[in-house]
Each structure stands twice: as C-alpha cells, then as structure tokens.
Amino acid sequence: MSTGERSEARRRAVAVGPGVCHALGLTMLVITEWVRADLKDATSMASHGYLKGMIEFAGSLADTDWYKPAVDLYDNVSFGEPRAALWAAVIMALVVRLNRYGPPEAQQLLSWVTAGYCLLATLALLPYLAAPGVGVILVLALCGGVVNVATR
C-alpha cells in the first residue's frame, strides 16, 4: 500500500468511524443550547411541559449503576466547564472533518478524542433527549447530515 493509499484509508476511517459520536455530540449541543435559551426567557419553569419529562428521565437514570459514574466522569473531564468543553469538542470535530489536507495521524487522534468526549457527553446529558420528544429524531438526522457534509 502506497503512502497516498494509506493516507486515504486513514481519512476514510476518520470520516466513518467516529462520525456517529460526532453527530450525537452535535445533537446534544443543539438540544442543550435550545433548552438553555428557552429557559432563559422563561417566567415560570412550570410552563415548560418538557421539564417534567426531563426530570422523570433523569430520575429513572439515577436508579442505574452506570449513570452517576458517567456524569461524574463527564464533569471531571470537562474541568467544570461542560458547556464550553462540548462546544470545543464539536467544533474541533467539524474542523478536523473539514480539513482535507491536514496531517492524517493528528487528525485521526483528534477525531477519536472528540468522538469519545461527544459520546461521554451524550451519556451524561441523556435527560435532555426528553425535551424535543419525538423531534429528537429530526435533530439527530439534521446533525448527522451536517457531520456527513463536513466530512470531505
């Protein structure tokens, strides 16, 4: 296999492998920012019907053995700034996907690191999926499309 073929194979691995995690991270970013903006303008939290679903979902997740450690790990890995860290991970993932001519090894490493963080964020922020309800499928499809378009 020539050097050019190896580089192309690495690019395809970056394009296909962690793309699902990047799409999930972008989905969680969109949903959490939407909820944040919606609640910022709220006069009464009781007027938002999706909050009850989020609280119930968080309560059911709290009864599992894996959710609390995932949230704790997410908080520790993000150095107390989970919102900024998720923004950084998603933007870095999109930049790596858009950069066709970057060094393949570095891009692959960055892609997998951001994919891991996006997956961890998705697990920790699962209760937010109750906010859009069935609309989460549309948000995920749109985010998957953005990730796919960003992939060279």
Side-chain angles (χ1 to χ4, degrees):
M1 186 181 278
S2 72
T3 305
E5 290 171 335
R6 265 187 267 140
S7 293
E8 185 58 32
R10 285 186 190 131
R11 281 191 194 100
R12 273 188 257 129
V14 169
V16 176
V20 172
C21 295
H22 294 156
L24 288 171
L26 181 58
T27 300
M28 295 312 292
L29 181 64
V30 167
I31 292 171
T32 56
E33 288 298 318
W34 171 72
V35 168
R36 184 175 183 270
D38 189 46
L39 292 178
K40 181 180 177 184
D41 296 332
T43 55
S44 169
M45 287 193 188
S47 65
H48 299 288
Y50 61 83
L51 288 177
K52 182 179 179 190
M54 287 175 64
I55 291 168
E56 289 173 358
F57 192 23
S60 68
L61 287 172
D63 293 336
T64 64
D65 293 334
W66 60 269
Y67 185 67
K68 173 104 170 86
V71 171
D72 291 342
L73 180 61
Y74 176 63
D75 287 338
N76 290 333
V77 171
S78 61
F79 302 109
E81 293 292 335
R83 180 173 174 240
L86 184 56
W87 269 101
V90 168
I91 289 171
M92 188 180 305
L94 292 174
V95 167
V96 166
R97 290 179 166 282
L98 288 167
N99 186 4
R100 181 179 313 220
Y101 303 108
E105 292 84 12
Q107 286 189 297
Q108 191 170 20
L109 176 66
L110 284 172
S111 184
W112 283 105
V113 168
T114 59
Y117 186 81
C118 287
L119 183 61
L120 181 60
T122 301
L123 292 174
L125 300 172
L126 275 175
Y128 281 89
L129 293 179
V134 180
V136 74
I137 296 169
L138 176 64
V139 175
L140 183 57
L142 288 172
C143 292
V146 168
V147 169
N148 189 38
V149 168
T151 304
R152 4 177 226 291

